[in-house]
Amino acid sequence: SDVYKRQNYDHVIIEEPEINVHVNLQLDLARYLWGIRDKTLFITTHSDVFLMQLARLWARDTSRELRAYLLHDGVTRRLHVDENGEIEEIPTIAEALNKLLA
């Protein structure tokens, strides 16, 4: 509607953009979303691949801020992402995924 066209939203919430999307397209989608500069994005995901791609993009372009959080067993904690784009201790990330995204 016209109401949405007239609004200037600074924040966008995207819930699980990776659902039903092939892993290669998840990588492309992460690159596309990383390229959006005029919005603050809040993204929820169950995809390790999607999150790892965002972390690696951040490592190459630290002009933006990336915060990653893990909700596990009812407890939320911020994950550390190092300068190489490696994310600490995500229990579901396999070594093969790290090699795939290298």
Side-chain angles (χ1 to χ4, degrees):
S1 106
D2 290 334
V3 172
Y4 294 112
K5 292 177 185 174
R6 287 181 275 150
Q7 298 292 331
N8 183 15
Y9 298 102
D10 294 328
H11 300 81
V12 177
I13 300 170
I14 304 170
E15 185 175 357
E16 301 184 35
E18 79 285 352
I19 290 181
N20 297 320
V21 176
H22 186 274
V23 66
N24 289 334
L25 292 177
Q26 289 182 36
L27 300 174
D28 291 343
L29 182 57
R31 280 190 286 274
Y32 173 79
L33 292 173
W34 187 256
I36 296 174
R37 297 296 178 168
D38 62 339
K39 307 287 182 204
T40 299
L41 303 178
F42 296 90
I43 302 170
T44 63
T45 184
H46 283 95
S47 172
D48 299 338
V49 171
F50 186 82
L51 178 58
M52 292 169 66
Q53 176 72 334
L54 287 176
R56 283 175 169 73
L57 291 166
W58 171 81
R60 292 184 214 134
D61 174 16
T62 58
S63 66
R64 300 188 67 184
E65 185 174 1
L66 173 68
R67 294 185 193 176
Y69 295 88
L70 175 67
L71 173 60
H72 184 71
D73 290 334
V75 176
T76 303
R77 70 177 175 87
R78 186 169 179 183
L79 296 172
H80 174 72
V81 181
D82 72 17
E83 65 276 355
N84 297 315
E86 297 292 326
I87 303 171
E88 69 156 327
E89 302 174 22
I90 298 179
T92 58
I93 292 178
E95 191 67 31
L97 289 177
N98 281 318
K99 291 178 184 177
L100 172 70
L101 295 172

